[in-house]
Amino acid sequence: MAGDSRVHMDHDMEIGVTPREQVKKLPKHLREAQIPTDRTHLISDPVKKPRQRYVQKDGKCNVHHGNVQETYRYLSDLFTTLVDLRWRLSFFIFTLVYVVNWLFFGFLWWLIALIRGDLLHADEEGWTPCVENLNSFVSAFLFSIETETTIGYGYRVITEKCPEGIILLLVQAILGSIVNAMMVGCMFVKISQPKNRAETLMFSHKAVISVRDNKMCLMFRVGDLRNSHIVEASIRAKLIRSQQTKEGEFIPLNQTDINIGFDTGDDRLFLVSPLIISHEINEKSPFWEMSRAQMEKEEFEIVVILEGMVEATGMTCQARSSYLDSEVLWGYRFTPVLSLEKGFYEVDYNNFHDIYETNTPTYSAKELSARLKESPLLPHLPLLSPDLRQHTDPFSTQTTRDEREKDGEKPAEANNGSATRLEENPAPN
């Protein structure tokens, strides 16, 4: 066996592989990094690891809070803590609070009956108990439920010759109202939370980069599936990327604002139909000096946040999504989803996530701006392929296609900058 091990070790040394005994001494992540290929050498080309999301595609934040020692802070805001609990815990606490409350006051009613001697003299004539027909703990528990829920079957009734019972009745009525207000309020808020409204707000699976009006733009699409609209809808975006300062400080997951129309008001949305949100890559943009090759090497995440009020309830709703660096595609545009039918506009959500490739320069927006100053670029850069130009013709319905061909007009070749496609349905002769 020793001879076989030496033969294997010599053989590994000849072909340039780390000996087996030495591999076992290496850390686990270094042992797994060994990629055997052929019998002469190892290929160690760098492979870009998938980035861990900061925000999931469905909007859930991928952050867990650990080693929280000051847990008493959760009890200082008990109502919010109860609302944030999972449904099964909410139902359990809801039931537990009521049962404990009924048992507690049932015990007090039984204790009063025991001290007064009602349990021993209940059957004697002329004896006036505190609560009629209360002769055991079970009957006291039932009387507690009837009192707090105001059922009032009429079989067990408190008498006027029991001042301690009257005081206890007042206390139970007041505390029962407080418990009802808190528990029912928690369940109502939990049911009517606007988180469910965010499920019908859609974000495109991919973000794209292409040229719009001679400017490089980063774009993604948003849409609302419901007919009841989001009031005062606004959208913002954050770039999540680790960076190192000039002083050498490392800032993990640093957040940088991405301007998507804050200064011009374009971040305020009228979200009746799907819209393409555009970020102009200019001097203030973090992508200003990034070319296509550089962006493929970068590791970042773009978090988009859509906020507004639910029209039906007036509560504020927030929907979130994110795009990793691998989900930002260079040189693509979104397929139009809006078409003009007879008397209305129709949105085709089958094409909501669809994109098509377009001719886009691979250099950075900074270089594109410099070249545009020297000479116009777009006449030499067809942005749309011939088969897609016919789908971006937003002519008015007042002029038919035959009239345009007769007048010698050519269909528009440039996108109008929106997320819509207006197709004409000629009126029948």
Side-chain angles (χ1 to χ4, degrees):
M1 295 297 292
D4 294 341
S5 177
R6 184 179 299 276
V7 170
H8 286 302
M9 183 177 298
D10 295 340
H11 178 67
D12 291 340
M13 294 297 292
E14 291 177 359
I15 63 176
V17 181
T18 306
R20 292 175 175 81
E21 296 181 359
Q22 184 176 351
V23 170
K24 294 181 180 179
K25 297 179 181 180
L26 294 176
K28 181 180 179 180
H29 67 280
L30 294 179
R31 296 200 306 267
E32 294 177 351
Q34 304 296 328
I35 308 174
T37 53
D38 52 25
R39 298 175 61 85
T40 57
H41 65 280
L42 293 176
I43 299 177
S44 59
D45 294 336
V47 179
K48 190 174 182 179
K49 297 181 179 180
R51 177 185 172 89
Q52 181 66 45
R53 285 188 179 275
Y54 189 63
V55 176
Q56 301 290 348
K57 295 294 284 186
D58 58 358
K60 296 180 180 179
C61 297
N62 194 21
V63 178
H64 298 272
H65 301 282
N67 298 327
V68 179
Q69 298 179 357
E70 299 178 352
T71 55
Y72 66 89
R73 295 180 180 271
Y74 293 104
L75 299 178
S76 62
D77 189 9
L78 184 60
F79 186 83
T80 304
T81 302
L82 294 176
V83 171
D84 290 340
L85 292 176
R86 296 183 178 181
W87 273 108
R88 55 177 177 267
L89 290 178
S90 297
F91 280 124
F92 175 75
I93 293 178
F94 184 85
T95 305
L96 182 64
V97 168
Y98 276 107
V99 171
V100 170
N101 187 40
W102 295 334
L103 287 173
F104 173 73
F105 282 102
F107 172 76
L108 294 182
W109 287 113
W110 176 81
L111 186 62
I112 291 176
L114 179 64
I115 295 175
R116 285 175 52 89
D118 294 343
L119 301 179
L120 299 176
H121 306 285
D123 297 334
E124 296 181 4
E125 296 183 0
W127 181 265
T128 303
C130 182
V131 179
E132 294 183 357
N133 300 317
L134 194 153
N135 49 22
S136 64
F137 178 78
V138 176
S139 60
F141 175 69
L142 294 177
F143 179 72
S144 175
I145 297 176
E146 295 174 16
T147 301
E148 189 163 331
T149 58
T150 65
I151 294 177
Y153 290 118
Y155 183 69
R156 299 176 184 88
V157 182
I158 186 172
T159 61
E160 59 185 10
K161 296 183 179 181
C162 183
E164 60 272 21
I166 296 175
I167 296 175
L168 182 59
L169 179 65
L170 294 176
V171 172
Q172 184 175 5
I174 294 173
L175 293 181
S177 299
I178 296 175
V179 171
N180 288 334
M182 189 170 184
M183 290 294 100
V184 175
C186 287
M187 298 302 293
F188 175 77
V189 172
K190 193 171 184 64
I191 292 173
S192 60
Q193 273 185 323
K195 293 181 180 180
N196 297 329
R197 180 62 177 88
E199 297 295 330
T200 54
L201 296 175
M202 296 179 60
F203 295 89
S204 58
H205 292 161
K206 304 291 183 180
V208 298
I209 294 179
S210 61
V211 177
R212 264 191 175 185
D213 297 329
N214 293 358
K215 298 176 182 179
M216 200 78 76
C217 295
L218 169 68
M219 296 170 285
F220 58 92
R221 182 145 60 188
V222 297
D224 187 3
L225 298 177
R226 288 189 179 275
N227 292 327
S228 59
H229 310 303
I230 297 295
V231 182
E232 294 292 334
S234 62
I235 193 166
R236 51 195 173 95
K238 293 280 188 178
L239 176 65
I240 310 296
R241 180 176 58 175
S242 301
Q243 71 174 28
Q244 189 171 5
T245 63
K246 296 179 180 179
E247 295 76 15
E249 179 187 4
F250 179 75
I251 305 177
L253 301 178
N254 183 52
Q255 300 184 13
T256 305
D257 280 331
I258 298 178
N259 188 1
I260 50 179
F262 177 77
D263 50 350
T264 60
D266 292 338
D267 61 330
R268 300 289 180 177
L269 307 180
F270 182 51
L271 197 58
V272 178
S273 61
L275 299 177
I276 294 179
I277 310 301
S278 177
H279 161 63
E280 180 183 332
I281 304 179
N282 51 26
E283 295 85 352
K284 299 180 180 179
S285 173
F287 307 105
W288 173 242
E289 298 181 353
M290 284 190 190
S291 63
R292 179 174 183 175
Q294 292 173 339
M295 184 168 289
E296 292 176 352
K297 298 178 182 178
E298 291 286 338
E299 292 185 358
F300 60 87
E301 182 177 355
I302 300 174
V303 178
V304 293
I305 305 170
L306 176 62
E307 294 178 325
M309 290 188 301
V310 181
E311 188 178 32
T313 62
M315 302 181 69
T316 302
C317 172
Q318 184 181 94
R320 299 180 294 265
S321 187
S322 68
Y323 301 96
L324 295 178
D325 49 88
S326 58
E327 296 172 342
V328 179
L329 304 182
W330 190 291
Y332 286 86
R333 285 180 178 170
F334 286 101
T335 304
V337 296
L338 192 63
S339 61
L340 178 60
E341 302 296 336
K342 184 178 294 185
F344 61 92
Y345 295 94
E346 183 177 7
V347 179
D348 183 9
Y349 279 99
N350 289 330
N351 299 329
F352 183 83
H353 302 287
D354 292 348
I355 57 177
Y356 63 90
E357 192 170 4
T358 181
N359 294 330
T360 304
T362 58
Y363 39 80
S364 64
K366 180 179 180 180
E367 187 175 352
L368 173 62
S369 178
R371 295 194 181 190
L372 283 175
K373 291 179 181 179
E374 297 176 358
S375 62
L377 176 65
L378 288 187
H380 307 285
L381 182 62
L383 296 180
L384 294 178
S385 57
D387 56 339
L388 291 171
R389 293 174 182 172
Q390 58 183 351
H391 298 294
T392 58
D393 184 6
F395 277 101
S396 172
T397 57
Q398 298 177 359
T399 306
T400 61
R401 185 175 289 110
D402 295 337
E403 292 176 352
R404 293 197 300 268
E405 293 179 355
K406 182 178 179 180
D407 296 338
E409 296 181 2
K410 296 182 180 179
E413 296 181 2
N415 199 325
N416 60 353
S418 65
T420 62
R421 175 183 63 186
L422 304 181
E423 293 182 352
E424 176 188 359
N425 292 334
N429 295 329

